[in-house]
Amino acid sequence: MASIRQEVQGANAKELMENLTEKCYSKCVPKPGTSMSSSEETCVSRCMDLYFQAFNIVAKTYTTRLHKERVAMKEAEASSF
């Protein structure tokens, strides 16, 4: 079970990075060249920060929701006996 969880986490991390790269670079680097300008670097950096902040909020909310649902299920099971 732990190895499956690790594989899922790895796949999620890979997907996060792919989405982040696609979205931030598409937004911030309209004409890719051999190097990025300082404004492009700043844009990418800010975009990545915001993307991670949003991801962390969603992950925390989801984790809290799962925890509450588990507690509710355990309470329901305990009260049915």
Side-chain angles (χ1 to χ4, degrees):
M1 185 68 159
S3 65
I4 293 172
R5 202 173 303 154
Q6 287 177 340
E7 285 182 35
V8 169
Q9 288 173 343
N12 286 341
K14 181 181 176 189
E15 182 179 359
L16 172 68
M17 292 307 295
E18 288 172 356
N19 287 337
L20 182 142
T21 301
E22 178 185 332
K23 303 247 186 273
C24 292
Y25 280 92
S26 295
K27 176 184 176 209
C28 298
V29 186
K31 296 179 183 177
T34 57
S35 63
M36 290 174 34
S37 69
S38 68
S39 62
E40 290 172 335
E41 288 179 11
T42 300
C43 181
V44 169
S45 178
R46 287 182 182 159
C47 180
M48 290 173 69
D49 287 344
L50 290 172
Y51 204 90
F52 279 121
Q53 287 175 8
F55 178 82
N56 287 335
I57 290 168
V58 170
K60 182 178 178 181
T61 302
Y62 181 70
T63 302
T64 301
R65 179 177 163 201
L66 285 178
H67 177 71
K68 287 179 181 178
E69 288 177 2
R70 286 183 189 146
V71 168
M73 286 176 60
K74 286 181 182 180
E75 289 174 354
E77 288 174 0
S79 67
S80 66
F81 289 113

